[in-house]
Amino acid sequence: MDTVSIVRAVARHVCGTAPRECVFSSRVRIARNIRATPFPHRGDEGALRGPLAVAIAAMEGLNKAGGGFELVDLARLPTLEKEALVECHLISRDLLLAERVSALVVSKKSGASILVNEEDHFRIQVLSGGLRLKRALALAKRIERELDQHTTFAKHDGLGFLTACPTNVGTGLRASVMLQLPALFFARRLETCLQRRVGRALAVRGIYGEGSGPLACLLQISNQTTAGMDEAEALAQVTKAAQDISRDEQRARASIQERFAWDVEDLVYRAAATLTAARSINSGEAMDRLSQVRLGIDLGLLDGVDRRIVDQLMIFIRPASLQVLVGEPMAPRERDMRRAKLIREHLQGLIEVP
Amino acid sequence: MDTVSIVRAVARHVCGTAPRECVFSSRVRIARNIRATPFPHRGDEGALRGPLAVAIAAMEGLNKAGGGFELVDLARLPTLEKEALVECHLISRDLLLAERVSALVVSKKSGASILVNEEDHFRIQVLSGGLRLKRALALAKRIERELDQHTTFAKHDGLGFLTACPTNVGTGLRASVMLQLPALFFARRLETCLQRRVGRALAVRGIYGEGSGPLACLLQISNQTTAGMDEAEALAQVTKAAQDISRDEQRARASIQERFAWDVEDLVYRAAATLTAARSINSGEAMDRLSQVRLGIDLGLLDGVDRRIVDQLMIFIRPASLQVLVGEPMAPRERDMRRAKLIREHLQGLIEVP
């Protein structure tokens, strides 16, 4: 399977949430390891072939039920394509340089994957657009059961599932949601909201730009705890935080539209105009402006453009993904030009600034 | 005469130069004083009435020949309208607070004026679009001759005409040109060009923004020397510098279009898009973006829009001029919103970003 189609599949699964939905995407990840087998960073080639064989057997099992999984040999994949998979959150940065036996078993159909021999032998992951953690967990558990058919997982009676890093011991589950919170950021209420809504059992992560706010106003909320808490409890905590923050964001949207209508229009229309006019744009600016256009669509300031196109662009314009989509490696300057062109091709004629 | 019509007249006279002309406007100013009469900052009300009476008599004389001059009583003019005249370079900042007898005798027809009781008793000034110093000087001299009919100028046999500030003694003449040099600035050749082209007898002034370059890439070149140099020589020096710098700018334009085509397009199209989309814009950003659009028109990147409209906007959008044109004082925030609206009204539908 080529990387382009994986990037496109991820975009298809992640994008296209309900209108005005603040949760950009949901992700469930389960870490599992084979009993009495060294963890990947300790295993020799022979030991690493074991998990790969198990994953292939599970893939065949899943495909009998129409799973549509395919195998990507990461050891042979060019670095640029691996970087695109990192941008799609399918593999970790760790695997960029590692030359050990590793693979990604991925389904374009469902957006589910098994990462083999990263930090753990298996990392089952399911990505979905919007707030859909339960559905994602159900699918992840189905994949886990299939793996379980072909091996025995490392498990301790008291601790639960064993993992390479102690922070994953127990359920091995990480449930996370990516939220886009432009109005809270605009109204300078993001910090207060997070302090109030995110308990100690949860972690917040964002890509912070140059001193301003999180890139494209995107923040990830996930459970910190995997030991001493069951899967349902972890999911419930993340879901509740996401819902509470979403309500705060919706309130902030109503409030900024009432109190700062001109400033919001200024922000949105400038973003739309810049994206349809720029001949060169770096990924940071593009992400921020796309997020502002997305807000504009949600607030009814821009019409004629499907929010899904904007969401997909946020995935396609990332440095490596862009190069993989275009089909050739490019220097940063060239990339900025090509990125601007891609955005214009998608948005021009659709977005009209009144 | 109302201030709005003066601002519009200045815009009409200054704007509308030949395509690709780098000289935005030319200005000639002649300082004269009445013999044996205290300079304005030293004179009492009685002494200041003298120059005013002379100016009024000269105005009547000029109007017989169809000069179209009218009198503006500066002592009675609201501060905001005086500020608009400062922005049009018709009066100086000094007169904003001064409450002494002072007046502006100005012709909407020719763009010529006599400023009475500023630093000197008379400041004859002629504004013109493009590089037209000779024509401007000829008109200024005609006004000077008319004033001379009604008074005797303060003059010293060796030094020449006497003025309140020693830097104007001699000819009392300041010839200046306003150049717009976006390509030299873009190519980072502005400093080198000025060092090479501007001799010691000339002065360079620009409004520098926040650490970047001169506001809207506008620079003024004028003669420093008024003593020991005749009028023709001063004009020749300023003219030569303006022509040399203009040629450098034209070469820089050809060069950046060849070497940095994408960056230039990016700059121009972003500026055009922002100006037609923004809901709020301060005067500094507006000036810079208008100057970039002007470059775009000159380089053939934008068509459909008359450069004269862009030039006039650069005059209309200044803080006080904008308020005078709109007809009411506004707070800065309101001004930024009204400025954005004015620009959109003038440019929307005309500028199309390809």
Side-chain angles (χ1 to χ4, degrees):
Chain A
M1 177 155 49
D2 59 331
T3 310
V4 174
S5 68
I6 301 178
V7 172
R8 289 196 186 279
V10 167
R12 213 165 46 238
H13 287 289
V14 167
C15 305
T17 56
R20 287 181 299 282
E21 170 67 84
C22 310
V23 180
F24 194 84
S25 61
S26 301
R27 178 190 321 273
V28 157
R29 186 262 288 152
I30 297 176
R32 290 290 182 269
N33 289 278
I34 300 175
R35 197 179 141 183
T37 304
F39 289 128
H41 61 285
R42 288 284 194 120
D44 58 16
E45 191 172 328
L48 294 172
R49 295 243 160 250
L52 185 58
V54 171
I56 290 171
M59 175 176 83
E60 283 160 5
L62 290 163
N63 284 350
K64 268 179 209 155
F69 285 86
E70 292 179 64
L71 184 78
V72 179
D73 183 352
L74 293 175
R76 287 197 192 167
L77 205 65
T79 309
L80 185 61
E81 302 197 21
K82 283 201 251 186
E83 279 174 2
L85 296 181
V86 171
E87 289 173 355
C88 291
H89 300 274
L90 285 174
I91 71 170
S92 71
R93 225 153 246 300
D94 267 1
L95 279 177
L96 280 184
L97 297 171
E99 286 176 357
R100 63 173 173 264
V101 176
S102 56
L104 181 71
V105 173
V106 59
S107 164
K108 282 189 275 183
K109 201 174 141 193
S110 64
S113 62
I114 310 166
L115 184 55
V116 185
N117 289 333
E118 191 227 25
E119 193 179 286
D120 295 298
H121 293 142
F122 309 112
R123 289 250 168 138
I124 305 159
Q125 185 173 265
V126 181
L127 271 171
S128 186
L131 183 57
R132 289 179 190 155
L133 286 173
K134 270 193 185 168
R135 223 178 72 171
L137 180 64
L139 179 50
K141 296 293 286 180
R142 216 164 72 211
I143 298 169
E144 188 219 12
R145 282 193 300 273
E146 187 62 40
L147 282 168
D148 203 15
Q149 303 273 314
H150 307 277
T151 190
T152 307
F153 292 139
K155 198 175 177 186
H156 180 275
D157 279 348
L159 295 171
F161 292 101
L162 298 179
T163 53
C165 176
T167 58
N168 295 312
V169 166
T171 57
L173 171 76
R174 189 81 63 209
S176 64
V177 288
M178 186 77 86
L179 291 140
Q180 195 156 35
L181 307 168
L184 283 169
F185 174 67
F186 186 93
R188 296 174 194 210
R189 288 197 227 146
L190 189 51
E191 286 301 311
T192 321
C193 162
L194 293 177
Q195 273 164 21
R196 209 173 136 200
R197 303 300 190 186
V198 181
R200 284 202 186 164
L202 303 178
V204 183
R205 273 189 208 87
I207 305 166
Y208 280 80
E210 286 155 16
S212 49
L215 185 70
C217 300
L218 286 169
L219 280 178
Q220 193 195 59
I221 311 281
S222 62
N223 62 308
Q224 295 249 45
T225 318
T226 53
M229 185 190 282
D230 71 8
E231 291 168 343
E233 171 68 11
L235 242 67
Q237 288 201 4
V238 175
T239 302
K240 178 163 189 337
Q243 286 168 337
D244 290 347
I245 297 169
S246 290
R247 265 192 299 273
D248 288 350
E249 168 70 14
Q250 294 300 356
R251 267 193 289 267
R253 290 185 186 185
S255 149
I256 61 170
Q257 241 190 328
E258 197 179 300
R259 292 174 54 204
F260 308 107
W262 274 80
D263 305 81
V264 174
E265 285 185 19
D266 188 54
L267 187 83
V268 167
Y269 293 144
R270 277 174 180 254
T274 301
L275 288 174
T276 49
R279 259 50 185 175
S280 174
I281 192 163
N282 65 38
S283 62
E285 183 189 356
M287 288 292 283
D288 282 338
R289 302 254 191 209
L290 285 167
S291 124
Q292 290 154 7
V293 163
R294 195 175 194 265
L295 176 67
I297 297 170
D298 281 355
L299 295 182
L301 295 174
L302 292 170
D303 39 43
V305 57
D306 187 344
R307 208 176 64 157
R308 190 184 313 229
I309 294 175
V310 178
D311 288 354
Q312 288 189 345
L313 279 172
M314 283 202 235
I315 289 167
F316 295 159
I317 58 153
R318 294 172 194 179
S321 304
L322 179 73
Q323 293 173 78
V324 164
L325 283 171
V326 169
E328 52 181 13
M330 293 177 280
R333 187 180 140 72
E334 220 182 322
R335 229 148 60 201
D336 290 350
M337 283 156 51
R338 197 60 189 74
R339 180 179 294 114
K341 189 157 175 263
L342 184 81
I343 294 172
R344 284 203 316 282
E345 285 164 357
H346 278 78
L347 297 183
Q348 228 167 24
L350 290 182
I351 288 191
E352 294 245 335
V353 174
Chain B
M1 177 155 48
D2 60 329
T3 310
V4 175
S5 68
I6 301 177
V7 172
R8 290 196 184 279
V10 166
R12 213 166 45 239
H13 286 289
V14 166
C15 305
T17 56
R20 288 181 297 283
E21 171 67 85
C22 309
V23 180
F24 194 85
S25 61
S26 301
R27 178 189 320 273
V28 156
R29 186 264 287 153
I30 296 175
R32 291 289 182 270
N33 288 278
I34 300 176
R35 196 177 140 184
T37 304
F39 290 128
H41 60 287
R42 289 285 195 120
D44 58 16
E45 190 173 328
L48 294 173
R49 295 245 159 249
L52 184 59
V54 171
I56 291 171
M59 174 176 85
E60 283 160 5
L62 291 163
N63 284 351
K64 268 180 210 153
F69 285 86
E70 292 179 66
L71 184 79
V72 179
D73 182 351
L74 294 175
R76 287 198 192 168
L77 205 64
T79 309
L80 185 62
E81 301 197 22
K82 282 200 251 185
E83 278 174 2
L85 297 179
V86 170
E87 287 173 357
C88 291
H89 300 274
L90 285 174
I91 71 170
S92 71
R93 226 152 245 298
D94 268 1
L95 279 178
L96 280 186
L97 296 173
E99 287 177 356
R100 64 173 172 262
V101 176
S102 56
L104 180 71
V105 173
V106 59
S107 164
K108 283 188 276 186
K109 199 174 143 192
S110 64
S113 62
I114 310 165
L115 184 55
V116 184
N117 290 334
E118 190 229 24
E119 191 178 290
D120 295 298
H121 293 143
F122 309 111
R123 289 251 169 137
I124 305 159
Q125 184 173 263
V126 181
L127 272 172
S128 185
L131 184 55
R132 288 180 190 154
L133 286 172
K134 269 193 184 167
R135 222 178 71 172
L137 181 63
L139 178 50
K141 297 294 285 181
R142 214 164 73 212
I143 297 168
E144 187 220 11
R145 282 194 300 275
E146 187 64 40
L147 282 169
D148 203 14
Q149 302 274 311
H150 305 278
T151 189
T152 308
F153 291 138
K155 198 176 178 185
H156 179 276
D157 280 348
L159 296 171
F161 291 101
L162 299 178
T163 54
C165 176
T167 58
N168 294 313
V169 166
T171 56
L173 171 76
R174 189 80 64 206
S176 65
V177 287
M178 186 77 85
L179 291 139
Q180 197 157 34
L181 307 168
L184 283 168
F185 175 67
F186 185 92
R188 294 172 196 215
R189 287 198 228 146
L190 189 53
E191 286 302 312
T192 322
C193 161
L194 293 177
Q195 273 164 20
R196 205 172 141 203
R197 302 302 190 186
V198 180
R200 286 204 185 162
L202 303 180
V204 183
R205 273 189 208 88
I207 306 168
Y208 279 79
E210 287 155 14
S212 50
L215 185 70
C217 300
L218 286 168
L219 281 177
Q220 192 194 60
I221 312 280
S222 62
N223 61 309
Q224 295 250 45
T225 318
T226 52
M229 184 191 285
D230 69 12
E231 291 167 343
E233 172 66 10
L235 243 66
Q237 288 202 5
V238 175
T239 302
K240 180 165 188 331
Q243 286 168 338
D244 290 347
I245 296 169
S246 290
R247 266 192 298 273
D248 288 349
E249 167 71 13
Q250 294 299 356
R251 267 194 290 265
R253 289 184 186 187
S255 149
I256 61 170
Q257 240 189 328
E258 197 178 299
R259 293 174 53 203
F260 308 106
W262 273 82
D263 306 81
V264 173
E265 284 185 20
D266 188 55
L267 187 81
V268 167
Y269 293 144
R270 278 173 180 253
T274 302
L275 289 174
T276 49
R279 257 52 184 176
S280 174
I281 192 164
N282 66 37
S283 64
E285 184 189 354
M287 288 292 283
D288 282 338
R289 303 258 190 205
L290 285 167
S291 125
Q292 290 154 6
V293 162
R294 195 175 194 263
L295 175 68
I297 298 170
D298 281 357
L299 296 180
L301 295 174
L302 291 171
D303 40 42
V305 55
D306 187 346
R307 207 176 65 156
R308 191 184 312 229
I309 293 175
V310 179
D311 289 354
Q312 288 189 346
L313 279 173
M314 283 202 237
I315 290 168
F316 295 158
I317 58 152
R318 295 174 194 177
S321 303
L322 179 73
Q323 293 174 78
V324 164
L325 283 171
V326 169
E328 52 181 12
M330 291 177 279
R333 188 179 140 72
E334 220 182 322
R335 228 147 63 201
D336 290 350
M337 283 156 51
R338 197 58 189 77
R339 180 179 295 113
K341 190 158 175 260
L342 184 82
I343 294 171
R344 285 203 315 282
E345 285 165 357
H346 277 78
L347 298 182
Q348 227 167 23
L350 291 181
I351 289 191
E352 293 247 336
V353 174

